[in-house]
Amino acid sequence: MADIIILIGFMGSGKSSVGKVLAGKLGYKLIDSDKYIEQQEGKSINDIFKECGEAGFRNMETAFLKNLSTANEDIILSTGGGMPCHNNNAALLKEIGFSVYLSASPSVIYERVKHDTGRPLLMVDDKLGKITSLLSEREKYYNESADKVIETDELSVDEIADEIIRLLKGEAN
Ligand code: S3P
């Protein structure tokens, strides 16, 4: 059976960068759900939200996950930050693979995303306030979906990837 390692966590928690490094270290294929959906739709995430609404985007995420459950190769999946919190995705994620929650604090997330314009949910005046409230709403979903949690505030991308490899080998808790 294919090995699927899933990175979950808030926007700016490092899922894409860690995914790239981890895929390189393990020789797995990297799939980034946002990029996949953008390619399928031929539109940016911003345009998908504008044209189909958030609900439309969430349905695309669920369809993507259902499709992935039939994968027959080893994959690192970097998810969009809201994926585990909508539809029945948390249960689907549990079925598909081994999930690692990259936990980060609101201030660290804010520093990483403050100049970003590609995340429609953060196009608000009070970005830090939005990050803080959305993260607190979502934390239960992340924790429920996760097989393991890594606190990432003090770690580099490389250190996080190595910690995940240790977790997979059963060398870390
Ligand atoms: C979202 C996170 C984004 C993207 C979309 C919605 C969210 O992905 O899926 O803008 O709801 O948290 P990243 O976590 O890769 O930024």
Side-chain angles (χ1 to χ4, degrees), residues 11 15 34 45 49 57-58 80-82 119-121 138:
M11 294 171 263
K15 297 165 299 212
D34 285 341
I45 299 285
F49 267 68
F57 174 69
R58 299 304 172 197
R119 293 176 168 109
L121 295 180
R138 286 179 169 183

Side-chain angles (χ1 to χ4, degrees), residues 3 37 114:
D3 204 7
I37 291 171
K114 63 183 175 190

Side-chain angles (χ1 to χ4, degrees), residues 51-97:
E51 292 170 29
C52 313
E54 181 175 351
F57 174 69
R58 299 304 172 197
N59 291 340
M60 291 170 198
E61 288 189 306
T62 304
F64 160 83
L65 271 184
K66 286 188 177 154
N67 202 10
L68 193 75
S69 59
T70 60
N72 57 6
E73 58 190 324
D74 295 335
I75 288 168
I76 305 294
L77 170 63
S78 164
T79 59
M83 190 185 266
C85 320
H86 294 271
N87 299 344
N88 194 29
N89 297 344
L92 281 173
L93 288 167
K94 280 258 167 227
E95 276 170 30
I96 290 172

